[in-house]
Amino acid sequence: MNDPKIELPRIFQANLSRFYLNVVAPVLADLPEPVLEEIAMTNSMNENLDLMAAQVQAHTRNEAAKAFVLVVSGLFERQVRHWALHLFAPQNPREIQHGDFEKLLDKCLDAKQVDRARDDIRKNLVEAIFVANVVRHGDGRTSDELRKVAPQLWIYDPSEYVDINAGPSPDSEQIRIRAGDVKRYVRAGLRFWGRVDTQPMAVTEPPFGMID
């Protein structure tokens, strides 16, 4: 590798794309989102058993989606910190290795003059970071911030997803992550790497049509 700060963006874009296409997308495709119906006294035993199975399936899919956001966000963060060490060549690497990631992301966007508002690239990347932190730590400051920037994650029809946790659930447990949210976060990461790629034929708009 002649110059990591030039070549790593393309490598990281390909790695992130492959992980999504080969791991994330197939798993979520095998966990269809069930359409739930209201439990009623008139339901038969078989209907209610089917409904309970659908509720468990919905819960499992939601947990899988949240887990994938955690993994993908962690992968992207490691990639950015790795690249930033070459991009900025700091005297104190710990500032990049362990510093505030949101600030580092902004520094990278500014260094490459990337329009952070175009396609909501920064918004989606930060939202993914917040979701990952909430999945990891539960209720707290980050979950409050996430509610401000992405209130839609708490908005869904009760028939679409039924919380099956015993007793009252923490606010963070009520997040509903859909397959489209995971794809949106991954697409933002791929756009980031494409737009900081200075080599010829950089892919600034990932070809997701094959899985849409």
Side-chain angles (χ1 to χ4, degrees), residues 61-87:
R61 180 184 175 87
N62 193 45
E63 289 301 314
K66 290 193 292 185
F68 277 134
V69 175
L70 179 60
V71 173
V72 167
S73 181
L75 171 60
F76 179 72
E77 179 176 341
R78 296 199 316 272
Q79 290 177 334
V80 172
R81 291 188 189 276
H82 181 172
W83 177 59
L85 287 172
H86 298 284
L87 180 64

mmCIF file with all atom_site columns, all heavy atoms in Angstrom, residues 61-87:
data_model
loop_
_atom_site.group_PDB
_atom_site.id
_atom_site.type_symbol
_atom_site.label_atom_id
_atom_site.label_alt_id
_atom_site.label_comp_id
_atom_site.label_asym_id
_atom_site.label_entity_id
_atom_site.label_seq_id
_atom_site.pdbx_PDB_ins_code
_atom_site.Cartn_x
_atom_site.Cartn_y
_atom_site.Cartn_z
_atom_site.occupancy
_atom_site.B_iso_or_equiv
_atom_site.pdbx_formal_charge
_atom_site.auth_seq_id
_atom_site.auth_comp_id
_atom_site.auth_asym_id
_atom_site.auth_atom_id
_atom_site.pdbx_PDB_model_num
ATOM 1   N N   . ARG A 1 61 ? -36.460 -10.055 15.496 1.00 0.00 ? 61 ARG A N   1
ATOM 2   C CA  . ARG A 1 61 ? -35.996 -9.246  14.370 1.00 0.00 ? 61 ARG A CA  1
ATOM 3   C C   . ARG A 1 61 ? -35.518 -7.887  14.857 1.00 0.00 ? 61 ARG A C   1
ATOM 4   O O   . ARG A 1 61 ? -34.491 -7.383  14.402 1.00 0.00 ? 61 ARG A O   1
ATOM 5   C CB  . ARG A 1 61 ? -37.113 -9.073  13.341 1.00 0.00 ? 61 ARG A CB  1
ATOM 6   C CG  . ARG A 1 61 ? -36.676 -8.244  12.137 1.00 0.00 ? 61 ARG A CG  1
ATOM 7   C CD  . ARG A 1 61 ? -37.828 -8.005  11.169 1.00 0.00 ? 61 ARG A CD  1
ATOM 8   N NE  . ARG A 1 61 ? -37.407 -7.118  10.095 1.00 0.00 ? 61 ARG A NE  1
ATOM 9   C CZ  . ARG A 1 61 ? -36.823 -7.512  8.974  1.00 0.00 ? 61 ARG A CZ  1
ATOM 10  N NH1 . ARG A 1 61 ? -36.584 -8.791  8.781  1.00 0.00 ? 61 ARG A NH1 1
ATOM 11  N NH2 . ARG A 1 61 ? -36.462 -6.649  8.048  1.00 0.00 ? 61 ARG A NH2 1
ATOM 12  N N   . ASN A 1 62 ? -36.239 -7.289  15.776 1.00 0.00 ? 62 ASN A N   1
ATOM 13  C CA  . ASN A 1 62 ? -35.845 -5.987  16.292 1.00 0.00 ? 62 ASN A CA  1
ATOM 14  C C   . ASN A 1 62 ? -34.503 -6.071  17.016 1.00 0.00 ? 62 ASN A C   1
ATOM 15  O O   . ASN A 1 62 ? -33.635 -5.206  16.852 1.00 0.00 ? 62 ASN A O   1
ATOM 16  C CB  . ASN A 1 62 ? -36.922 -5.455  17.234 1.00 0.00 ? 62 ASN A CB  1
ATOM 17  C CG  . ASN A 1 62 ? -36.745 -3.988  17.563 1.00 0.00 ? 62 ASN A CG  1
ATOM 18  O OD1 . ASN A 1 62 ? -36.485 -3.163  16.689 1.00 0.00 ? 62 ASN A OD1 1
ATOM 19  N ND2 . ASN A 1 62 ? -36.892 -3.639  18.831 1.00 0.00 ? 62 ASN A ND2 1
ATOM 20  N N   . GLU A 1 63 ? -34.311 -7.125  17.797 1.00 0.00 ? 63 GLU A N   1
ATOM 21  C CA  . GLU A 1 63 ? -33.045 -7.302  18.502 1.00 0.00 ? 63 GLU A CA  1
ATOM 22  C C   . GLU A 1 63 ? -31.903 -7.544  17.516 1.00 0.00 ? 63 GLU A C   1
ATOM 23  O O   . GLU A 1 63 ? -30.789 -7.052  17.710 1.00 0.00 ? 63 GLU A O   1
ATOM 24  C CB  . GLU A 1 63 ? -33.151 -8.460  19.493 1.00 0.00 ? 63 GLU A CB  1
ATOM 25  C CG  . GLU A 1 63 ? -34.017 -8.164  20.711 1.00 0.00 ? 63 GLU A CG  1
ATOM 26  C CD  . GLU A 1 63 ? -33.513 -6.969  21.498 1.00 0.00 ? 63 GLU A CD  1
ATOM 27  O OE1 . GLU A 1 63 ? -32.292 -6.880  21.760 1.00 0.00 ? 63 GLU A OE1 1
ATOM 28  O OE2 . GLU A 1 63 ? -34.340 -6.094  21.846 1.00 0.00 ? 63 GLU A OE2 1
ATOM 29  N N   . ALA A 1 64 ? -32.178 -8.299  16.451 1.00 0.00 ? 64 ALA A N   1
ATOM 30  C CA  . ALA A 1 64 ? -31.145 -8.541  15.436 1.00 0.00 ? 64 ALA A CA  1
ATOM 31  C C   . ALA A 1 64 ? -30.759 -7.239  14.747 1.00 0.00 ? 64 ALA A C   1
ATOM 32  O O   . ALA A 1 64 ? -29.571 -6.969  14.524 1.00 0.00 ? 64 ALA A O   1
ATOM 33  C CB  . ALA A 1 64 ? -31.658 -9.552  14.407 1.00 0.00 ? 64 ALA A CB  1
ATOM 34  N N   . ALA A 1 65 ? -31.753 -6.418  14.407 1.00 0.00 ? 65 ALA A N   1
ATOM 35  C CA  . ALA A 1 65 ? -31.472 -5.134  13.749 1.00 0.00 ? 65 ALA A CA  1
ATOM 36  C C   . ALA A 1 65 ? -30.652 -4.239  14.660 1.00 0.00 ? 65 ALA A C   1
ATOM 37  O O   . ALA A 1 65 ? -29.693 -3.587  14.218 1.00 0.00 ? 65 ALA A O   1
ATOM 38  C CB  . ALA A 1 65 ? -32.781 -4.455  13.351 1.00 0.00 ? 65 ALA A CB  1
ATOM 39  N N   . LYS A 1 66 ? -31.003 -4.184  15.946 1.00 0.00 ? 66 LYS A N   1
ATOM 40  C CA  . LYS A 1 66 ? -30.241 -3.363  16.888 1.00 0.00 ? 66 LYS A CA  1
ATOM 41  C C   . LYS A 1 66 ? -28.806 -3.877  17.020 1.00 0.00 ? 66 LYS A C   1
ATOM 42  O O   . LYS A 1 66 ? -27.861 -3.080  17.076 1.00 0.00 ? 66 LYS A O   1
ATOM 43  C CB  . LYS A 1 66 ? -30.932 -3.347  18.259 1.00 0.00 ? 66 LYS A CB  1
ATOM 44  C CG  . LYS A 1 66 ? -32.240 -2.577  18.283 1.00 0.00 ? 66 LYS A CG  1
ATOM 45  C CD  . LYS A 1 66 ? -32.735 -2.317  19.693 1.00 0.00 ? 66 LYS A CD  1
ATOM 46  C CE  . LYS A 1 66 ? -33.157 -3.553  20.399 1.00 0.00 ? 66 LYS A CE  1
ATOM 47  N NZ  . LYS A 1 66 ? -33.743 -3.276  21.742 1.00 0.00 ? 66 LYS A NZ  1
ATOM 48  N N   . ALA A 1 67 ? -28.661 -5.198  17.060 1.00 0.00 ? 67 ALA A N   1
ATOM 49  C CA  . ALA A 1 67 ? -27.322 -5.774  17.177 1.00 0.00 ? 67 ALA A CA  1
ATOM 50  C C   . ALA A 1 67 ? -26.483 -5.439  15.949 1.00 0.00 ? 67 ALA A C   1
ATOM 51  O O   . ALA A 1 67 ? -25.287 -5.144  16.057 1.00 0.00 ? 67 ALA A O   1
ATOM 52  C CB  . ALA A 1 67 ? -27.419 -7.291  17.358 1.00 0.00 ? 67 ALA A CB  1
ATOM 53  N N   . PHE A 1 68 ? -27.095 -5.453  14.772 1.00 0.00 ? 68 PHE A N   1
ATOM 54  C CA  . PHE A 1 68 ? -26.348 -5.140  13.555 1.00 0.00 ? 68 PHE A CA  1
ATOM 55  C C   . PHE A 1 68 ? -25.944 -3.672  13.513 1.00 0.00 ? 68 PHE A C   1
ATOM 56  O O   . PHE A 1 68 ? -24.866 -3.343  13.009 1.00 0.00 ? 68 PHE A O   1
ATOM 57  C CB  . PHE A 1 68 ? -27.158 -5.515  12.317 1.00 0.00 ? 68 PHE A CB  1
ATOM 58  C CG  . PHE A 1 68 ? -27.062 -6.964  11.946 1.00 0.00 ? 68 PHE A CG  1
ATOM 59  C CD1 . PHE A 1 68 ? -28.202 -7.696  11.625 1.00 0.00 ? 68 PHE A CD1 1
ATOM 60  C CD2 . PHE A 1 68 ? -25.833 -7.610  11.924 1.00 0.00 ? 68 PHE A CD2 1
ATOM 61  C CE1 . PHE A 1 68 ? -28.111 -9.040  11.285 1.00 0.00 ? 68 PHE A CE1 1
ATOM 62  C CE2 . PHE A 1 68 ? -25.733 -8.952  11.587 1.00 0.00 ? 68 PHE A CE2 1
ATOM 63  C CZ  . PHE A 1 68 ? -26.880 -9.673  11.264 1.00 0.00 ? 68 PHE A CZ  1
ATOM 64  N N   . VAL A 1 69 ? -26.792 -2.779  14.028 1.00 0.00 ? 69 VAL A N   1
ATOM 65  C CA  . VAL A 1 69 ? -26.394 -1.368  14.094 1.00 0.00 ? 69 VAL A CA  1
ATOM 66  C C   . VAL A 1 69 ? -25.181 -1.227  15.004 1.00 0.00 ? 69 VAL A C   1
ATOM 67  O O   . VAL A 1 69 ? -24.231 -0.491  14.702 1.00 0.00 ? 69 VAL A O   1
ATOM 68  C CB  . VAL A 1 69 ? -27.547 -0.483  14.597 1.00 0.00 ? 69 VAL A CB  1
ATOM 69  C CG1 . VAL A 1 69 ? -27.069 0.969   14.766 1.00 0.00 ? 69 VAL A CG1 1
ATOM 70  C CG2 . VAL A 1 69 ? -28.714 -0.511  13.626 1.00 0.00 ? 69 VAL A CG2 1
ATOM 71  N N   . LEU A 1 70 ? -25.186 -1.945  16.114 1.00 0.00 ? 70 LEU A N   1
ATOM 72  C CA  . LEU A 1 70 ? -24.051 -1.910  17.034 1.00 0.00 ? 70 LEU A CA  1
ATOM 73  C C   . LEU A 1 70 ? -22.775 -2.393  16.350 1.00 0.00 ? 70 LEU A C   1
ATOM 74  O O   . LEU A 1 70 ? -21.716 -1.756  16.451 1.00 0.00 ? 70 LEU A O   1
ATOM 75  C CB  . LEU A 1 70 ? -24.362 -2.790  18.251 1.00 0.00 ? 70 LEU A CB  1
ATOM 76  C CG  . LEU A 1 70 ? -23.283 -2.910  19.331 1.00 0.00 ? 70 LEU A CG  1
ATOM 77  C CD1 . LEU A 1 70 ? -22.935 -1.560  19.922 1.00 0.00 ? 70 LEU A CD1 1
ATOM 78  C CD2 . LEU A 1 70 ? -23.736 -3.868  20.420 1.00 0.00 ? 70 LEU A CD2 1
ATOM 79  N N   . VAL A 1 71 ? -22.866 -3.490  15.616 1.00 0.00 ? 71 VAL A N   1
ATOM 80  C CA  . VAL A 1 71 ? -21.695 -4.058  14.944 1.00 0.00 ? 71 VAL A CA  1
ATOM 81  C C   . VAL A 1 71 ? -21.213 -3.152  13.812 1.00 0.00 ? 71 VAL A C   1
ATOM 82  O O   . VAL A 1 71 ? -20.013 -2.863  13.682 1.00 0.00 ? 71 VAL A O   1
ATOM 83  C CB  . VAL A 1 71 ? -22.010 -5.469  14.405 1.00 0.00 ? 71 VAL A CB  1
ATOM 84  C CG1 . VAL A 1 71 ? -20.855 -5.989  13.558 1.00 0.00 ? 71 VAL A CG1 1
ATOM 85  C CG2 . VAL A 1 71 ? -22.278 -6.434  15.554 1.00 0.00 ? 71 VAL A CG2 1
ATOM 86  N N   . VAL A 1 72 ? -22.144 -2.705  12.966 1.00 0.00 ? 72 VAL A N   1
ATOM 87  C CA  . VAL A 1 72 ? -21.774 -1.870  11.819 1.00 0.00 ? 72 VAL A CA  1
ATOM 88  C C   . VAL A 1 72 ? -21.199 -0.538  12.285 1.00 0.00 ? 72 VAL A C   1
ATOM 89  O O   . VAL A 1 72 ? -20.212 -0.044  11.725 1.00 0.00 ? 72 VAL A O   1
ATOM 90  C CB  . VAL A 1 72 ? -22.997 -1.651  10.905 1.00 0.00 ? 72 VAL A CB  1
ATOM 91  C CG1 . VAL A 1 72 ? -22.721 -0.549  9.904  1.00 0.00 ? 72 VAL A CG1 1
ATOM 92  C CG2 . VAL A 1 72 ? -23.355 -2.941  10.178 1.00 0.00 ? 72 VAL A CG2 1
ATOM 93  N N   . SER A 1 73 ? -21.809 0.051   13.309 1.00 0.00 ? 73 SER A N   1
ATOM 94  C CA  . SER A 1 73 ? -21.299 1.313   13.835 1.00 0.00 ? 73 SER A CA  1
ATOM 95  C C   . SER A 1 73 ? -19.897 1.133   14.407 1.00 0.00 ? 73 SER A C   1
ATOM 96  O O   . SER A 1 73 ? -19.015 1.984   14.210 1.00 0.00 ? 73 SER A O   1
ATOM 97  C CB  . SER A 1 73 ? -22.244 1.857   14.917 1.00 0.00 ? 73 SER A CB  1
ATOM 98  O OG  . SER A 1 73 ? -21.782 3.083   15.431 1.00 0.00 ? 73 SER A OG  1
ATOM 99  N N   . GLY A 1 74 ? -19.684 0.020   15.104 1.00 0.00 ? 74 GLY A N   1
ATOM 100 C CA  . GLY A 1 74 ? -18.352 -0.253  15.642 1.00 0.00 ? 74 GLY A CA  1
ATOM 101 C C   . GLY A 1 74 ? -17.329 -0.452  14.551 1.00 0.00 ? 74 GLY A C   1
ATOM 102 O O   . GLY A 1 74 ? -16.191 0.032   14.654 1.00 0.00 ? 74 GLY A O   1
ATOM 103 N N   . LEU A 1 75 ? -17.711 -1.161  13.489 1.00 0.00 ? 75 LEU A N   1
ATOM 104 C CA  . LEU A 1 75 ? -16.815 -1.368  12.359 1.00 0.00 ? 75 LEU A CA  1
ATOM 105 C C   . LEU A 1 75 ? -16.449 -0.039  11.718 1.00 0.00 ? 75 LEU A C   1
ATOM 106 O O   . LEU A 1 75 ? -15.269 0.238   11.451 1.00 0.00 ? 75 LEU A O   1
ATOM 107 C CB  . LEU A 1 75 ? -17.477 -2.285  11.335 1.00 0.00 ? 75 LEU A CB  1
ATOM 108 C CG  . LEU A 1 75 ? -16.765 -2.446  9.983  1.00 0.00 ? 75 LEU A CG  1
ATOM 109 C CD1 . LEU A 1 75 ? -15.365 -3.006  10.166 1.00 0.00 ? 75 LEU A CD1 1
ATOM 110 C CD2 . LEU A 1 75 ? -17.586 -3.343  9.058  1.00 0.00 ? 75 LEU A CD2 1
ATOM 111 N N   . PHE A 1 76 ? -17.457 0.799   11.471 1.00 0.00 ? 76 PHE A N   1
ATOM 112 C CA  . PHE A 1 76 ? -17.204 2.094   10.834 1.00 0.00 ? 76 PHE A CA  1
ATOM 113 C C   . PHE A 1 76 ? -16.317 2.970   11.714 1.00 0.00 ? 76 PHE A C   1
ATOM 114 O O   . PHE A 1 76 ? -15.394 3.634   11.222 1.00 0.00 ? 76 PHE A O   1
ATOM 115 C CB  . PHE A 1 76 ? -18.529 2.792   10.556 1.00 0.00 ? 76 PHE A CB  1
ATOM 116 C CG  . PHE A 1 76 ? -18.375 4.146   9.925  1.00 0.00 ? 76 PHE A CG  1
ATOM 117 C CD1 . PHE A 1 76 ? -17.976 4.275   8.593  1.00 0.00 ? 76 PHE A CD1 1
ATOM 118 C CD2 . PHE A 1 76 ? -18.612 5.302   10.653 1.00 0.00 ? 76 PHE A CD2 1
ATOM 119 C CE1 . PHE A 1 76 ? -17.819 5.531   8.009  1.00 0.00 ? 76 PHE A CE1 1
ATOM 120 C CE2 . PHE A 1 76 ? -18.466 6.551   10.078 1.00 0.00 ? 76 PHE A CE2 1
ATOM 121 C CZ  . PHE A 1 76 ? -18.064 6.668   8.757  1.00 0.00 ? 76 PHE A CZ  1
ATOM 122 N N   . GLU A 1 77 ? -16.559 2.979   13.017 1.00 0.00 ? 77 GLU A N   1
ATOM 123 C CA  . GLU A 1 77 ? -15.744 3.803   13.917 1.00 0.00 ? 77 GLU A CA  1
ATOM 124 C C   . GLU A 1 77 ? -14.289 3.348   13.892 1.00 0.00 ? 77 GLU A C   1
ATOM 125 O O   . GLU A 1 77 ? -13.367 4.176   13.828 1.00 0.00 ? 77 GLU A O   1
ATOM 126 C CB  . GLU A 1 77 ? -16.283 3.736   15.342 1.00 0.00 ? 77 GLU A CB  1
ATOM 127 C CG  . GLU A 1 77 ? -15.449 4.550   16.325 1.00 0.00 ? 77 GLU A CG  1
ATOM 128 C CD  . GLU A 1 77 ? -16.012 4.579   17.738 1.00 0.00 ? 77 GLU A CD  1
ATOM 129 O OE1 . GLU A 1 77 ? -17.220 4.280   17.910 1.00 0.00 ? 77 GLU A OE1 1
ATOM 130 O OE2 . GLU A 1 77 ? -15.252 4.901   18.673 1.00 0.00 ? 77 GLU A OE2 1
ATOM 131 N N   . ARG A 1 78 ? -14.051 2.049   13.921 1.00 0.00 ? 78 ARG A N   1
ATOM 132 C CA  . ARG A 1 78 ? -12.677 1.544   13.863 1.00 0.00 ? 78 ARG A CA  1
ATOM 133 C C   . ARG A 1 78 ? -12.012 1.943   12.554 1.00 0.00 ? 78 ARG A C   1
ATOM 134 O O   . ARG A 1 78 ? -10.830 2.305   12.533 1.00 0.00 ? 78 ARG A O   1
ATOM 135 C CB  . ARG A 1 78 ? -12.654 0.022   14.029 1.00 0.00 ? 78 ARG A CB  1
ATOM 136 C CG  . ARG A 1 78 ? -13.142 -0.469  15.374 1.00 0.00 ? 78 ARG A CG  1
ATOM 137 C CD  . ARG A 1 78 ? -12.688 -1.896  15.671 1.00 0.00 ? 78 ARG A CD  1
ATOM 138 N NE  . ARG A 1 78 ? -12.826 -2.807  14.556 1.00 0.00 ? 78 ARG A NE  1
ATOM 139 C CZ  . ARG A 1 78 ? -13.932 -3.502  14.279 1.00 0.00 ? 78 ARG A CZ  1
ATOM 140 N NH1 . ARG A 1 78 ? -15.010 -3.352  15.025 1.00 0.00 ? 78 ARG A NH1 1
ATOM 141 N NH2 . ARG A 1 78 ? -13.955 -4.334  13.247 1.00 0.00 ? 78 ARG A NH2 1
ATOM 142 N N   . GLN A 1 79 ? -12.767 1.859   11.459 1.00 0.00 ? 79 GLN A N   1
ATOM 143 C CA  . GLN A 1 79 ? -12.221 2.260   10.165 1.00 0.00 ? 79 GLN A CA  1
ATOM 144 C C   . GLN A 1 79 ? -11.808 3.729   10.168 1.00 0.00 ? 79 GLN A C   1
ATOM 145 O O   . GLN A 1 79 ? -10.715 4.084   9.721  1.00 0.00 ? 79 GLN A O   1
ATOM 146 C CB  . GLN A 1 79 ? -13.265 2.023   9.066  1.00 0.00 ? 79 GLN A CB  1
ATOM 147 C CG  . GLN A 1 79 ? -13.533 0.564   8.748  1.00 0.00 ? 79 GLN A CG  1
ATOM 148 C CD  . GLN A 1 79 ? -14.621 0.409   7.700  1.00 0.00 ? 79 GLN A CD  1
ATOM 149 O OE1 . GLN A 1 79 ? -15.486 1.270   7.547  1.00 0.00 ? 79 GLN A OE1 1
ATOM 150 N NE2 . GLN A 1 79 ? -14.585 -0.688  6.970  1.00 0.00 ? 79 GLN A NE2 1
ATOM 151 N N   . VAL A 1 80 ? -12.685 4.602   10.657 1.00 0.00 ? 80 VAL A N   1
ATOM 152 C CA  . VAL A 1 80 ? -12.405 6.045   10.641 1.00 0.00 ? 80 VAL A CA  1
ATOM 153 C C   . VAL A 1 80 ? -11.205 6.364   11.513 1.00 0.00 ? 80 VAL A C   1
ATOM 154 O O   . VAL A 1 80 ? -10.327 7.152   11.121 1.00 0.00 ? 80 VAL A O   1
ATOM 155 C CB  . VAL A 1 80 ? -13.644 6.844   11.102 1.00 0.00 ? 80 VAL A CB  1
ATOM 156 C CG1 . VAL A 1 80 ? -13.293 8.318   11.286 1.00 0.00 ? 80 VAL A CG1 1
ATOM 157 C CG2 . VAL A 1 80 ? -14.775 6.706   10.082 1.00 0.00 ? 80 VAL A CG2 1
ATOM 158 N N   . ARG A 1 81 ? -11.131 5.775   12.690 1.00 0.00 ? 81 ARG A N   1
ATOM 159 C CA  . ARG A 1 81 ? -9.990  6.054   13.580 1.00 0.00 ? 81 ARG A CA  1
ATOM 160 C C   . ARG A 1 81 ? -8.689  5.576   12.939 1.00 0.00 ? 81 ARG A C   1
ATOM 161 O O   . ARG A 1 81 ? -7.652  6.236   13.053 1.00 0.00 ? 81 ARG A O   1
ATOM 162 C CB  . ARG A 1 81 ? -10.218 5.399   14.938 1.00 0.00 ? 81 ARG A CB  1
ATOM 163 C CG  . ARG A 1 81 ? -11.340 6.035   15.763 1.00 0.00 ? 81 ARG A CG  1
ATOM 164 C CD  . ARG A 1 81 ? -11.383 5.472   17.174 1.00 0.00 ? 81 ARG A CD  1
ATOM 165 N NE  . ARG A 1 81 ? -12.557 5.889   17.900 1.00 0.00 ? 81 ARG A NE  1
ATOM 166 C CZ  . ARG A 1 81 ? -12.692 7.058   18.563 1.00 0.00 ? 81 ARG A CZ  1
ATOM 167 N NH1 . ARG A 1 81 ? -11.670 7.911   18.557 1.00 0.00 ? 81 ARG A NH1 1
ATOM 168 N NH2 . ARG A 1 81 ? -13.793 7.355   19.216 1.00 0.00 ? 81 ARG A NH2 1
ATOM 169 N N   . HIS A 1 82 ? -8.738  4.419   12.277 1.00 0.00 ? 82 HIS A N   1
ATOM 170 C CA  . HIS A 1 82 ? -7.564  3.884   11.584 1.00 0.00 ? 82 HIS A CA  1
ATOM 171 C C   . HIS A 1 82 ? -7.118  4.855   10.493 1.00 0.00 ? 82 HIS A C   1
ATOM 172 O O   . HIS A 1 82 ? -5.941  5.233   10.403 1.00 0.00 ? 82 HIS A O   1
ATOM 173 C CB  . HIS A 1 82 ? -7.922  2.518   10.997 1.00 0.00 ? 82 HIS A CB  1
ATOM 174 C CG  . HIS A 1 82 ? -6.801  1.832   10.282 1.00 0.00 ? 82 HIS A CG  1
ATOM 175 N ND1 . HIS A 1 82 ? -6.892  0.536   9.830  1.00 0.00 ? 82 HIS A ND1 1
ATOM 176 C CD2 . HIS A 1 82 ? -5.566  2.259   9.893  1.00 0.00 ? 82 HIS A CD2 1
ATOM 177 C CE1 . HIS A 1 82 ? -5.776  0.195   9.223  1.00 0.00 ? 82 HIS A CE1 1
ATOM 178 N NE2 . HIS A 1 82 ? -4.955  1.227   9.241  1.00 0.00 ? 82 HIS A NE2 1
ATOM 179 N N   . TRP A 1 83 ? -8.059  5.266   9.648  1.00 0.00 ? 83 TRP A N   1
ATOM 180 C CA  . TRP A 1 83 ? -7.743  6.163   8.531  1.00 0.00 ? 83 TRP A CA  1
ATOM 181 C C   . TRP A 1 83 ? -7.244  7.511   9.043  1.00 0.00 ? 83 TRP A C   1
ATOM 182 O O   . TRP A 1 83 ? -6.293  8.093   8.505  1.00 0.00 ? 83 TRP A O   1
ATOM 183 C CB  . TRP A 1 83 ? -8.979  6.333   7.667  1.00 0.00 ? 83 TRP A CB  1
ATOM 184 C CG  . TRP A 1 83 ? -8.830  7.284   6.523  1.00 0.00 ? 83 TRP A CG  1
ATOM 185 C CD1 . TRP A 1 83 ? -7.941  7.212   5.492  1.00 0.00 ? 83 TRP A CD1 1
ATOM 186 C CD2 . TRP A 1 83 ? -9.617  8.463   6.277  1.00 0.00 ? 83 TRP A CD2 1
ATOM 187 N NE1 . TRP A 1 83 ? -8.125  8.256   4.615  1.00 0.00 ? 83 TRP A NE1 1
ATOM 188 C CE2 . TRP A 1 83 ? -9.147  9.037   5.080  1.00 0.00 ? 83 TRP A CE2 1
ATOM 189 C CE3 . TRP A 1 83 ? -10.675 9.060   6.958  1.00 0.00 ? 83 TRP A CE3 1
ATOM 190 C CZ2 . TRP A 1 83 ? -9.700  10.201  4.552  1.00 0.00 ? 83 TRP A CZ2 1
ATOM 191 C CZ3 . TRP A 1 83 ? -11.241 10.214  6.428  1.00 0.00 ? 83 TRP A CZ3 1
ATOM 192 C CH2 . TRP A 1 83 ? -10.739 10.775  5.244  1.00 0.00 ? 83 TRP A CH2 1
ATOM 193 N N   . ALA A 1 84 ? -7.871  8.024   10.101 1.00 0.00 ? 84 ALA A N   1
ATOM 194 C CA  . ALA A 1 84 ? -7.512  9.343   10.628 1.00 0.00 ? 84 ALA A CA  1
ATOM 195 C C   . ALA A 1 84 ? -6.077  9.385   11.144 1.00 0.00 ? 84 ALA A C   1
ATOM 196 O O   . ALA A 1 84 ? -5.426  10.438  11.106 1.00 0.00 ? 84 ALA A O   1
ATOM 197 C CB  . ALA A 1 84 ? -8.484  9.753   11.733 1.00 0.00 ? 84 ALA A CB  1
ATOM 198 N N   . LEU A 1 85 ? -5.575  8.267   11.621 1.00 0.00 ? 85 LEU A N   1
ATOM 199 C CA  . LEU A 1 85 ? -4.180  8.234   12.059 1.00 0.00 ? 85 LEU A CA  1
ATOM 200 C C   . LEU A 1 85 ? -3.234  8.552   10.898 1.00 0.00 ? 85 LEU A C   1
ATOM 201 O O   . LEU A 1 85 ? -2.209  9.213   11.076 1.00 0.00 ? 85 LEU A O   1
ATOM 202 C CB  . LEU A 1 85 ? -3.849  6.859   12.643 1.00 0.00 ? 85 LEU A CB  1
ATOM 203 C CG  . LEU A 1 85 ? -4.436  6.541   14.021 1.00 0.00 ? 85 LEU A CG  1
ATOM 204 C CD1 . LEU A 1 85 ? -4.169  5.080   14.369 1.00 0.00 ? 85 LEU A CD1 1
ATOM 205 C CD2 . LEU A 1 85 ? -3.841  7.455   15.090 1.00 0.00 ? 85 LEU A CD2 1
ATOM 206 N N   . HIS A 1 86 ? -3.584  8.086   9.695  1.00 0.00 ? 86 HIS A N   1
ATOM 207 C CA  . HIS A 1 86 ? -2.776  8.372   8.507  1.00 0.00 ? 86 HIS A CA  1
ATOM 208 C C   . HIS A 1 86 ? -3.091  9.761   7.941  1.00 0.00 ? 86 HIS A C   1
ATOM 209 O O   . HIS A 1 86 ? -2.193  10.449  7.456  1.00 0.00 ? 86 HIS A O   1
ATOM 210 C CB  . HIS A 1 86 ? -3.009  7.306   7.443  1.00 0.00 ? 86 HIS A CB  1
ATOM 211 C CG  . HIS A 1 86 ? -2.616  5.931   7.863  1.00 0.00 ? 86 HIS A CG  1
ATOM 212 N ND1 . HIS A 1 86 ? -1.301  5.513   7.930  1.00 0.00 ? 86 HIS A ND1 1
ATOM 213 C CD2 . HIS A 1 86 ? -3.371  4.866   8.269  1.00 0.00 ? 86 HIS A CD2 1
ATOM 214 C CE1 . HIS A 1 86 ? -1.251  4.251   8.340  1.00 0.00 ? 86 HIS A CE1 1
ATOM 215 N NE2 . HIS A 1 86 ? -2.491  3.838   8.546  1.00 0.00 ? 86 HIS A NE2 1
ATOM 216 N N   . LEU A 1 87 ? -4.358  10.132  8.019  1.00 0.00 ? 87 LEU A N   1
ATOM 217 C CA  . LEU A 1 87 ? -4.776  11.414  7.435  1.00 0.00 ? 87 LEU A CA  1
ATOM 218 C C   . LEU A 1 87 ? -4.159  12.597  8.172  1.00 0.00 ? 87 LEU A C   1
ATOM 219 O O   . LEU A 1 87 ? -3.693  13.556  7.548  1.00 0.00 ? 87 LEU A O   1
ATOM 220 C CB  . LEU A 1 87 ? -6.305  11.514  7.461  1.00 0.00 ? 87 LEU A CB  1
ATOM 221 C CG  . LEU A 1 87 ? -6.926  12.787  6.881  1.00 0.00 ? 87 LEU A CG  1
ATOM 222 C CD1 . LEU A 1 87 ? -6.630  12.895  5.390  1.00 0.00 ? 87 LEU A CD1 1
ATOM 223 C CD2 . LEU A 1 87 ? -8.443  12.787  7.124  1.00 0.00 ? 87 LEU A CD2 1
#
